[in-house]
Amino acid sequence: MQNTATPTHCPYCALQCGMNLTPAPDGTVEVGERADFPVNRGALCGKGRTAASVLARNVRLTSPLVRDEGGTLVPASWDEALEKIAAGLGRTRAEHGPDAVGVFGGGGLTNEKAYTLGKFARVVLGTSQIDYNGRFCMSSAAAAGIKAFGLDRGLPFPLEDIPKSGCVILVGSNLAETMPPSLRFFTELKENGGTLIVIDPRRTKTAEQADLHLAPRPGTDLALALGLLHLVIAEGRVDEEYVRDRTSGWEDARAAAMAHWPEYVERITGVSVPRLREVVRLFCEPESAMVLTARGPEQQSKGTDTVGAWINLCLATGRAGRPRSGYGCLTGQGNGQGGREHGQKADQLPGYRKLDDPAARAHVAEVWGVDPDSLPGPGRSAYELLDALGTDIRSLLLMASNPVVSAPRAAHIEERIRSLDFLAVCDVVLSETAELADVVLPVTQWAEETGTTTNLEGRVLLRRRAITPPEGIRSDLEVLHELAARLGAEKGFPTDPEEVFEELRRASAGGAADYSGITYRRLAEENGVFWPCPAEPAGADEDALGGGEAPAAHPGTPRLFLDRFATPDGRARFVPVSHRATAEEPDEEYPVLLTTGRVVAQYQSGAQTRRVAELNAAAPGPFVELHPRLAARLGASEGDPVAVVSRRGRAVAPARITHAIRPDTVFMPFHWAGEGRANTLTNPALDPTSRMPEFKTCAVRLETVER
């Protein structure tokens, strides 16, 4: 075992913070600071500091498991487990057709694994039914970004630009708990004289740092953005020259905004007109400004339109495609960006190519050595795929996801998973979803394998292998290689991540997310490379991209849109939008709004963080956050068990009473299974464009529970 520090990156959120890993004499791994990485500059949150805890043998899976005749998961050999998976998937495909086999991936998979999983689904299985849990992350922002700018990348500028801006509006993000190391950029913004405006129905730790906090009613972010744009127009603050020279579609967007006068917006949102005017002043007076959105406005059945309204505000004020200004999305999952760029998403091929584009199909098919006509078309989105389990989809291969906890209407999705003919899961721990599988495969973790990820800035990074995995553990690439061979594809699925990345470079070449100028060698020498990064000179032949350095080193693109947008005419497009209600408004039976989110010590479905003692001590379980007035009406005291009931189910957790939330709203974190599972309650109503479920708001009632 090596005893020197290996520079690598955290396995959790999309910051992908830099860290050093050093094997200790007792077999454990020490996590150390890595001050040279500009995103976190050495700082780590509790999750990052304890990330090595999940590497321990007593925490993780160490052997394949198969379900015996008595219904119990028991240890098995790799050959037995792989044969069972190949037989289960092959049988379903033979009896019911390729689309009866589903594939569900995760935003934590490296680019190499996401790319290979998409290729495996479409080439080996021939199924269109593949999507991933990143659909639940930033799909609405992606859809809105493509409509407006012609391209989606979480942040079109580096995080280091934030402190240089004059004002930042942060919409629906509690980054002090979800991405703590990033808070320093906003602290520096204020130190430099800039203004931070936070929009959140709760007074979160992030909101406490703001110069101005607005607490709108959940689900009304669209009306709020339209009201602000109305005031920009009415007060003569539109950047007319910018709108004329760099945009199209302004008149229709202007007319839509003018229908949302301030008093009307105040009634919808609960935000007073003077507060709306103050936001407009703070946003428009500096030379530069930004709007950053996160899951709050995005996880709605109108999330694409909501983000589009915030983009329209940026465009009308000349705040996009200019230095220290712009719209950006704070991606949540570690590789949520790269995971969809290279093939896990139902409608996309590598390089952010569209699956229904004949030219895109031809390019990728040539790289893969298959007939373009053999590639399936677009499939179902994540929730629609999960909802079809046990009916149209009879078998499922699932990697790095835990939908039993993370999916909306989770009790229903659990039933759908239980109804499958066959389920195979690849994971590092026995998650709640893995517990339902017919076969579970233990796979390598972040510190035990090399691979690339793409963080929220569009910065492609190299995670380096620091330690050797325990005996009996295999990588996801090895799993897909073995399954492909057993299902008739003996070539085309290498196990070496660098070899996979070289193929990914060729597949992405010329696409929107062009990685062809990026190599492992460059990533090892630099602190990441921003895509798009094409190989140069333009038109370099395929052989030049087959390995080693690109013909010339393109510098990458830290800042997008400074000269033109990625639309055919180079102009950003206004998209007219209008306010509409959420899919489920409160009524007499369900009079309260529920919103969900995260806490600092846990991550996503909690499958890994709930196995870390230090994190569990900080956040031991779910809770229901409610205002004192609401608690008084209910007759609940601090710590009392409270039942939250929606049209989809019932969850019970202790009351946490605070003035930091609106009196008409309750909040639950979504990291836990069992009776406190928040996603038992959430609404799977889908955005018509992004197919994002409405996690962020649904109607509920509260009930007291006998001790």
Side-chain angles (χ1 to χ4, degrees):
M1 179 180 288
Q2 64 187 50
N3 55 17
T4 57
T6 299
T8 188
H9 296 274
C10 178
Y12 290 117
C13 81
L15 289 179
Q16 288 296 280
C17 291
M19 58 171 57
N20 286 320
L21 296 184
T22 305
D26 62 359
T28 61
V29 180
E30 296 178 356
V31 176
E33 293 185 359
R34 182 182 162 195
D36 69 309
F37 188 60
V39 170
N40 63 309
R41 306 177 204 165
L44 294 170
C45 72
K47 295 184 292 291
R49 286 188 293 99
T50 62
S53 299
V54 187
L55 298 168
R57 290 187 65 92
N58 63 341
V59 172
R60 67 188 301 170
L61 291 166
T62 57
S63 170
L65 304 173
V66 300
R67 198 166 297 280
D68 65 15
E69 294 181 359
T72 302
L73 284 172
V74 298
S77 70
W78 271 94
D79 278 344
E80 179 186 357
L82 290 166
E83 285 293 341
K84 281 186 175 291
I85 295 175
L89 301 180
R91 182 170 54 251
T92 297
R93 186 178 59 175
E95 294 177 0
H96 303 285
D99 276 356
V101 181
V103 176
F104 198 84
L109 294 176
T110 62
N111 289 318
E112 292 80 1
K113 292 190 284 189
Y115 171 85
T116 303
L117 185 61
K119 181 181 178 182
F120 177 84
R122 295 176 174 110
V123 172
V124 178
L125 298 176
T127 183
S128 67
Q129 301 303 301
I130 174 173
D131 211 73
Y132 82 129
N133 61 17
R135 176 78 68 169
F136 300 157
C137 178
M138 59 172 291
S139 56
S140 293
I146 290 170
K147 283 185 176 184
F149 307 132
L151 180 69
D152 151 54
R153 194 179 82 186
L155 294 180
F157 42 74
L159 284 163
E160 67 187 41
D161 285 3
I162 290 172
K164 303 170 187 175
S165 189
C167 177
V168 174
I169 301 179
L170 191 60
V171 190
S173 174
N174 182 16
L175 52 84
E177 296 201 61
T178 59
M179 298 179 174
S182 71
L183 193 62
R184 67 173 55 199
F185 294 102
F186 298 87
T187 302
E188 291 172 9
L189 166 77
K190 296 176 63 177
E191 291 172 349
N192 291 342
T195 302
L196 174 62
I197 301 170
V198 171
I199 297 171
D200 197 302
R202 303 167 61 223
R203 187 164 181 79
T204 63
K205 292 180 179 179
T206 307
E208 290 174 354
Q209 306 299 313
D211 297 287
L212 179 62
H213 170 222
L214 306 185
R217 184 174 179 268
T220 64
D221 309 273
L222 175 53
L224 181 64
L226 286 163
L228 295 174
L229 182 53
H230 178 111
L231 286 171
V232 165
I233 298 166
E235 295 178 3
R237 297 181 184 271
V238 174
D239 187 333
E240 301 286 357
E241 181 180 356
Y242 176 93
V243 169
R244 182 188 67 244
D245 294 344
R246 298 205 62 189
T247 73
S248 62
W250 167 234
E251 289 305 319
D252 288 341
R254 181 185 186 280
M258 291 309 291
H260 297 77
W261 58 94
E263 293 77 13
Y264 171 58
V265 169
E266 178 179 358
R267 291 198 300 273
I268 293 170
T269 65
V271 177
S272 69
V273 173
R275 282 291 187 103
L276 296 175
R277 294 187 185 279
E278 180 70 357
V279 172
V280 169
R281 183 185 68 80
L282 293 172
F283 185 69
C284 291
E285 286 187 353
E287 181 181 348
S288 58
M290 299 176 176
V291 172
L292 304 177
T293 67
R295 306 301 79 74
E298 297 162 17
Q299 288 181 328
Q300 299 183 28
S301 59
K302 51 188 174 181
T304 301
D305 284 357
T306 301
V307 173
W310 289 104
I311 291 175
N312 286 349
L313 178 66
C314 290
L315 294 177
T317 53
R319 306 302 202 182
R322 283 179 167 173
R324 303 175 300 283
S325 293
Y327 163 77
C329 166
L330 297 168
T331 313
Q333 294 189 84
N335 197 34
Q337 182 78 47
R340 72 178 181 284
E341 290 169 6
H342 298 300
Q344 285 190 98
K345 197 162 173 274
D347 60 348
Q348 287 181 189
L349 288 169
Y352 228 135
R353 288 181 160 90
K354 300 297 289 183
L355 192 52
D356 56 4
D357 177 359
R361 294 169 66 87
H363 173 85
V364 174
E366 182 178 2
V367 174
W368 288 351
V370 300
D371 185 339
D373 292 338
S374 70
L375 298 177
R380 292 177 173 92
S381 71
Y383 180 79
E384 292 166 304
L385 189 158
L386 295 171
D387 190 39
L389 299 180
T391 54
D392 294 346
I393 300 174
R394 310 293 291 269
S395 293
L396 181 70
L397 173 63
L398 185 145
M399 284 187 166
S401 187
N402 189 18
V404 165
V405 177
S406 63
R409 198 185 173 196
H412 170 73
I413 295 305
E414 182 177 344
E415 291 175 1
R416 294 290 86 225
I417 290 172
R418 290 181 183 275
S419 72
L420 282 165
D421 294 345
F422 182 80
L423 171 65
V425 173
C426 299
D427 211 329
V428 299
V429 296
L430 191 65
S431 70
E432 287 77 11
T433 305
E435 289 176 353
L436 306 180
D438 297 285
V439 181
V440 183
L441 298 181
V443 290
T444 49
Q445 296 190 53
W446 57 288
E448 301 163 347
E449 59 187 8
T450 294
T452 62
T453 61
T454 306
N455 81 345
L456 77 171
E457 306 165 295
R459 187 193 302 253
V460 184
L461 305 165
L462 183 65
R463 275 196 203 156
R464 298 167 174 85
R465 174 171 166 157
I467 58 173
T468 302
E471 186 177 353
I473 306 295
R474 299 188 185 182
S475 74
D476 295 283
L477 293 179
E478 291 174 307
V479 168
L480 293 171
H481 171 85
E482 293 288 344
L483 290 177
R486 284 169 167 80
L487 290 167
E490 296 185 359
K491 295 182 179 180
F493 291 86
T495 60
D496 176 60
E498 186 169 6
E499 186 177 347
V500 175
F501 190 79
E502 291 300 322
E503 182 178 301
L504 183 157
R505 292 175 60 208
R506 292 189 290 124
S508 74
D514 191 335
Y515 284 29
S516 60
I518 306 174
T519 65
Y520 270 34
R521 179 178 168 185
R522 280 193 69 179
L523 294 177
E525 295 172 348
E526 303 177 33
N527 267 325
V529 178
F530 293 85
W531 71 261
C533 181
E536 292 185 341
D541 61 36
E542 291 291 310
D543 291 340
L545 299 179
E549 273 294 345
H554 186 285
T557 315
R559 295 168 182 86
L560 297 171
F561 314 139
L562 294 180
D563 299 318
R564 57 179 284 123
F565 294 94
T567 56
D569 62 2
R571 292 173 172 264
R573 297 173 292 214
F574 282 96
V575 178
V577 294
S578 296
H579 171 71
R580 62 182 185 274
T582 58
E584 188 175 81
E585 289 289 307
D587 55 23
E588 289 186 5
E589 187 176 2
Y590 300 96
V592 177
L593 286 168
L594 168 71
T595 191
T596 64
R598 287 169 47 187
V599 297
V600 66
Q602 301 289 351
Y603 181 71
Q604 304 298 71
S605 76
Q608 296 180 52
T609 52
R610 285 187 276 117
R611 288 167 166 81
V612 179
E614 180 180 330
L615 300 179
N616 281 336
F623 56 86
V624 180
E625 186 177 278
L626 66 165
H627 191 276
R629 294 211 302 264
L630 186 55
R633 291 203 301 271
L634 183 64
S637 299
E638 181 76 15
D640 286 350
V642 172
V644 184
V645 184
S646 77
R647 290 176 173 84
R648 290 153 295 281
R650 183 175 190 265
V652 178
R656 183 174 293 183
I657 301 172
T658 174
H659 286 277
I661 193 167
R662 292 173 55 99
D664 59 0
T665 302
V666 295
F667 167 83
M668 290 187 71
F670 54 68
H671 309 290
W672 288 273
E675 70 170 2
R677 181 174 58 185
N679 278 320
T680 297
L681 309 167
T682 49
N683 191 352
L686 301 180
D687 179 287
T689 302
S690 68
R691 315 309 289 169
M692 168 77 86
E694 193 154 65
F695 285 100
K696 282 302 178 206
T697 177
C698 68
V700 298
R701 68 170 181 266
L702 305 182
E703 299 173 350
T704 56
V705 177
E706 293 295 328
R707 291 185 182 273

